[in-house]
Amino acid sequence: MEYVYAALLLFKAGKEINESSVQAVLTAAGIAVNESRVKALVASLDGVDIEEAISKAAAAPVAVAAAAP
Amino acid sequence: MEYVYAALLLFKAGKEINESSVQAVLTAAGIAVNESRVKALVASLDGVDIEEAISKAAAAPVAVAAAAP
Amino acid sequence: MEYVYAALLLFKAGKEINESSVQAVLTAAGIAVNESRVKALVASLDGVDIEEAISKAAAAPVAVAAAAP
Amino acid sequence: MEYVYAALLLFKAGKEINESSVQAVLTAAGIAVNESRVKALVASLDGVDIEEAISKAAAAPVAVAAAAP
Amino acid sequence: MEYVYAALLLFKAGKEINESSVQAVLTAAGIAVNESRVKALVASLDGVDIEEAISKAAAAPVAVAAAAP
Amino acid sequence: MEYVYAALLLFKAGKEINESSVQAVLTAAGIAVNESRVKALVASLDGVDIEEAISKAAAAPVAVAAAAP
Amino acid sequence: MGLYTVHLPQWKKDEISEIKRLASEYKLVGLVDMYGIPAKQVQDIRRNLRGKAELKMTRNTLIEHAFGEQGDLGELSSRLSGHSALIFTNENPFKLYSMLEKTKTKMAARPGETAPEDIVISKGPTSFRPGPIVGELQQAGIPAAIEAGKVTIRETKTVVKAGQEINKKLADALVKLDIKPMDVGLALQAAFYEGSVYEADVLAIDETAFYNSIISAATHAFNLSVNACYPTKDTAGAIITKAVREARGVAVEAAVASNDVIDAVLGRAQAQAMALQNITG
């Protein structure tokens, strides 16, 4: 999950999420970075609306209502 | 929120969450660090069982998001 | 329940559900058959839309518990 | 699905679910038995706690409403 | 369940799901394949809208749920 | 997602999930394998209790409880 | 018995042989309770049963005579009550029972009758204008009052529980409120079919419970098929959904970066961050 937090940090900072920026954040945390995971993360975020994804978490409430029969 | 992201990044990576580690992560992400907020964060996390705290979040139906591809 | 299983087995196989067919299935499964229960089963099924009942089983959205806030 | 009902019947009757017992039940129902389906059934059920498998919910939730964003 | 994952892999790869393709995938995984289970799987998938079945999983909350506290 | 399917296929079959086993499965399914994604997958799964993750997924809000017998 | 029969008038002899003829013609001979069924309804019931069952009303003594001469049937005589009639059909007793249940209708209760179910009066206005009716309702235990120039029931109340007697005041009040709590129709008391006597309590099948048992059985089969991963036409889709769901669960748990789940992974990270922020303030 630490890779994802690195991406979120960069996102909040308004920085581009790319391999080197993610790597930099993880390295600063003292983490031995797995290059492939960084690549995979960056690739998977391509085209994703991060703002929307995290705002859904904020909404994601409790409302898993049972469907009426 | 970025301060919390930084803390979680460190926590998930199994690193100690202290003023300098948080500061390092935030800086690497290009975030201008407010020292007293870092202090406040570290102080407030003192004695907190982070694992437990976030496991409660996991109980929320987070991923209601994912619409059909 | 085994009487109902027998009836549904016959239904799914597209066979007629009558006293002798139910009795045959139960007997083959090694179940000592109570004749009047078979009669009661067949009589009770009269007018029941089995297809509909089965589809309710698949749908049955029982108790999707809402996560605690 | 009739094969599954045959297994349920045998289970309820406390009989062993094996190729010949399943075949006997299906034959009694007047069903032309597909041997490989019987084999597959018996193999799938091997090691399965049927009591648990019966009662454990398996279906997808029909209408877990996503909370409005 | 491994049989189903084999089918899903083939589906994602745009390959036909037939007895020999499923068998090939399972064999590559080092699994001793039960031919009847493969047959049963392939037969049962005939006419099933796999895309839709997959999207149902995505629509449902991803299981982050823990039991209620 | 096919990489995850491959991993689960191996897991369900009781096989070790490593780069070569994942690669073999994907290749057999006719999927052109991206080595770094395989590496990323294996690294991500390292230390994850897959059984637990699956059971959470299964237990989650799915909950179509079988009516009492 | 035979000797005695000789002295019966011809019409009685004819009745007895009619009963015997019907009893041999049909597979099932049953006794039904006709108590309290108005003639009009008896006609309706007869019409509804046409082609399926034959109803015959006659004196108990003649029924006893006829049964007495029919060996096995004699067992039914002991179930005769003051308002018994005969019913004949080729259906089995369970079918007949449910057939008769379906011909039942609702009627007003007479004083002294037993409530078949809880009788609940709902709150709300009635059509009555203020008058002695208010007192009558109140005496029957119904919380009536005058509101805005109308007689109104103040609160929803159970005025009599299932199995309790409906007294005269309540019966009158229920009639005024047009509440018909009584099920009337032929009640099957006992049936003689293929050598055995079936009592009513054996024949009563709870239709809802039965329907639910079908749903349960289907659910069991569905669950077993999916959980044991034995795919059938009916369950292959659900099994795939389950497999994918599990895969997604693992992917999110392991934070696997994959296009299909990355939004869920981000959402989860965010939810965790929010949870932690709540604690740290």
Side-chain angles (χ1 to χ4, degrees):
Chain A
M1 207 59 144
E2 54 272 33
Y3 291 68
V4 180
Y5 286 119
L8 283 172
L9 268 173
L10 290 161
F11 173 75
K12 281 286 182 182
K15 306 285 171 199
E16 202 196 334
I17 302 171
N18 57 38
E19 292 176 30
S20 73
S21 63
V22 172
Q23 185 134 7
V25 173
L26 292 169
T27 304
I31 295 164
V33 183
N34 177 318
E35 212 179 304
S36 331
R37 289 190 71 181
V38 174
K39 264 196 222 299
L41 174 74
V42 172
S44 71
L45 287 173
D46 186 43
V48 171
D49 184 339
I50 297 181
E51 188 59 52
E52 198 198 317
I54 63 180
S55 71
K56 274 184 188 158
V62 175
V64 181
Chain B
M1 199 58 135
E2 43 272 47
Y3 290 69
V4 179
Y5 290 154
L8 278 171
L9 192 163
L10 290 160
F11 173 76
K12 287 282 183 177
K15 306 289 173 188
E16 200 193 333
I17 302 171
N18 56 39
E19 291 174 33
S20 76
S21 65
V22 172
Q23 183 138 4
V25 171
L26 289 170
T27 305
I31 293 165
V33 183
N34 175 323
E35 218 177 299
S36 71
R37 286 187 65 190
V38 173
K39 270 193 217 301
L41 173 79
V42 172
S44 67
L45 286 176
D46 188 43
V48 170
D49 183 338
I50 297 181
E51 191 58 53
E52 198 200 315
I54 64 177
S55 74
K56 277 181 190 155
V62 168
V64 178
Chain C
M1 202 52 140
E2 45 271 44
Y3 289 68
V4 182
Y5 289 152
L8 288 180
L9 191 161
L10 290 161
F11 175 77
K12 278 290 177 182
K15 305 288 174 188
E16 202 194 331
I17 304 171
N18 56 40
E19 291 174 31
S20 74
S21 63
V22 171
Q23 184 136 3
V25 171
L26 290 170
T27 305
I31 294 164
V33 182
N34 176 322
E35 217 179 299
S36 78
R37 286 189 63 190
V38 174
K39 279 197 191 30
L41 172 79
V42 174
S44 308
L45 282 172
D46 189 43
V48 170
D49 185 338
I50 299 181
E51 192 59 62
E52 193 199 308
I54 291 177
S55 71
K56 279 186 185 159
V62 179
V64 177
Chain D
M1 203 62 143
E2 55 270 35
Y3 289 66
V4 179
Y5 285 115
L8 283 170
L9 269 172
L10 290 161
F11 172 72
K12 282 284 176 182
K15 305 286 170 194
E16 200 195 332
I17 300 171
N18 57 37
E19 292 176 30
S20 74
S21 63
V22 172
Q23 187 136 3
V25 173
L26 292 170
T27 304
I31 294 165
V33 181
N34 175 322
E35 211 180 304
S36 98
R37 291 184 63 187
V38 173
K39 271 192 215 294
L41 175 73
V42 174
S44 303
L45 292 177
D46 185 44
V48 170
D49 180 338
I50 295 184
E51 190 60 54
E52 197 200 315
I54 285 174
S55 56
K56 197 165 117 193
V62 172
V64 179
Chain E
M1 205 58 142
E2 54 271 35
Y3 291 69
V4 180
Y5 285 118
L8 277 169
L9 275 172
L10 289 161
F11 175 76
K12 281 284 185 179
K15 306 283 171 198
E16 202 195 331
I17 301 170
N18 57 38
E19 292 175 31
S20 74
S21 63
V22 171
Q23 185 133 6
V25 174
L26 292 169
T27 304
I31 296 164
V33 182
N34 177 320
E35 214 178 303
S36 340
R37 293 190 69 181
V38 175
K39 266 196 221 297
L41 174 74
V42 172
S44 73
L45 286 175
D46 186 43
V48 170
D49 185 338
I50 297 182
E51 190 58 54
E52 196 200 316
I54 291 175
S55 70
K56 273 186 189 159
V62 170
V64 190
Chain F
M1 200 59 160
E2 43 271 47
Y3 290 67
V4 181
Y5 293 152
L8 280 175
L9 189 161
L10 290 160
F11 175 78
K12 290 279 184 176
K15 306 289 175 187
E16 199 193 335
I17 302 170
N18 56 38
E19 291 174 32
S20 76
S21 63
V22 172
Q23 184 138 2
V25 171
L26 290 170
T27 305
I31 293 166
V33 183
N34 175 322
E35 214 179 304
S36 115
R37 290 187 63 188
V38 173
K39 270 191 216 299
L41 173 80
V42 174
S44 302
L45 290 175
D46 186 44
V48 171
D49 184 337
I50 297 182
E51 190 58 54
E52 199 199 314
I54 288 175
S55 70
K56 271 187 198 168
V62 171
V64 175
Chain G
M1 190 83 71
L3 271 179
Y4 179 52
T5 312
V6 173
H7 302 291
L8 290 174
Q10 190 57 42
W11 73 267
K12 287 192 176 176
K13 288 185 191 161
D14 289 348
E15 278 287 284
I16 290 168
S17 53
E18 167 79 352
I19 294 169
K20 284 155 72 176
R21 180 185 65 79
L22 288 166
S24 62
E25 216 167 88
Y26 287 96
K27 284 192 195 163
L28 181 149
V29 181
L31 294 176
V32 287
D33 188 354
M34 307 278 293
Y35 177 74
I37 308 178
K40 164 77 176 70
Q41 239 146 349
V42 174
Q43 271 177 30
D44 291 347
I45 290 168
R46 235 187 243 281
R47 194 178 318 115
N48 287 335
L49 293 176
R50 190 160 299 154
K52 294 180 263 184
E54 203 166 319
L55 189 64
K56 170 136 192 83
M57 283 177 281
T58 188
R59 296 187 184 182
N60 279 3
T61 50
L62 300 179
I63 295 174
E64 278 172 25
H65 267 293
F67 285 0
E69 293 173 25
Q70 295 282 96
D72 292 347
L73 267 179
E75 236 190 290
L76 268 189
S77 296
S78 61
R79 276 82 168 180
L80 276 170
S81 71
H83 308 274
S84 292
L86 291 167
I87 194 160
F88 302 92
T89 181
N90 285 322
E91 301 287 5
N92 73 44
F94 296 93
K95 267 258 175 66
L96 175 64
Y97 187 91
S98 71
M99 229 156 70
L100 295 180
E101 285 300 303
K102 280 171 193 143
T103 63
K104 285 192 170 168
T105 50
K106 290 287 185 187
M107 262 186 61
R110 278 172 293 206
E113 282 186 321
T114 303
E117 58 202 4
D118 289 0
I119 299 176
V120 179
I121 312 281
S122 312
K123 79 184 268 188
T126 70
S127 56
F128 301 115
R129 306 176 63 92
I133 178 88
V134 178
E136 289 168 27
L137 292 176
Q138 285 171 349
Q139 283 180 28
I142 298 167
I146 297 168
E147 275 172 27
K150 269 194 153 180
V151 177
T152 298
I153 309 297
R154 283 187 287 104
E155 61 191 65
T156 298
K157 186 180 175 190
T158 302
V159 290
V160 60
K161 290 213 169 283
Q164 285 179 349
E165 191 187 298
I166 300 170
N167 62 35
K168 170 131 179 36
K169 280 179 180 154
L170 183 58
D172 291 347
L174 292 176
V175 168
K176 294 208 167 87
L177 291 169
D178 199 28
I179 291 168
K180 297 175 172 169
M182 306 305 295
D183 295 307
V184 288
L186 301 178
L188 189 60
Q189 297 171 306
F192 185 81
Y193 179 79
E194 293 183 341
S196 334
V197 173
Y198 292 81
E199 305 283 354
D201 57 348
V202 180
L203 301 175
I205 293 161
D206 183 333
E207 282 182 28
T208 309
F210 177 70
Y211 192 74
N212 288 338
S213 73
I214 296 176
I215 296 177
S216 293
T219 305
H220 292 167
F222 186 92
N223 287 350
L224 182 57
S225 172
V226 174
N227 289 328
C229 204
Y230 171 73
T232 67
K233 283 253 171 274
D234 294 331
T235 53
I239 290 174
I240 288 178
T241 302
K242 183 176 186 239
V244 175
R245 186 193 312 264
E246 288 181 2
R248 289 178 63 88
V250 171
V252 173
E253 186 71 32
V256 172
S258 154
N259 292 331
D260 294 328
V261 292
I262 191 67
D263 53 353
V265 172
L266 288 170
R268 183 164 192 240
Q270 177 69 5
Q272 291 179 344
M274 282 163 37
L276 194 58
Q277 192 173 43
N278 280 343
I279 287 175
T280 60

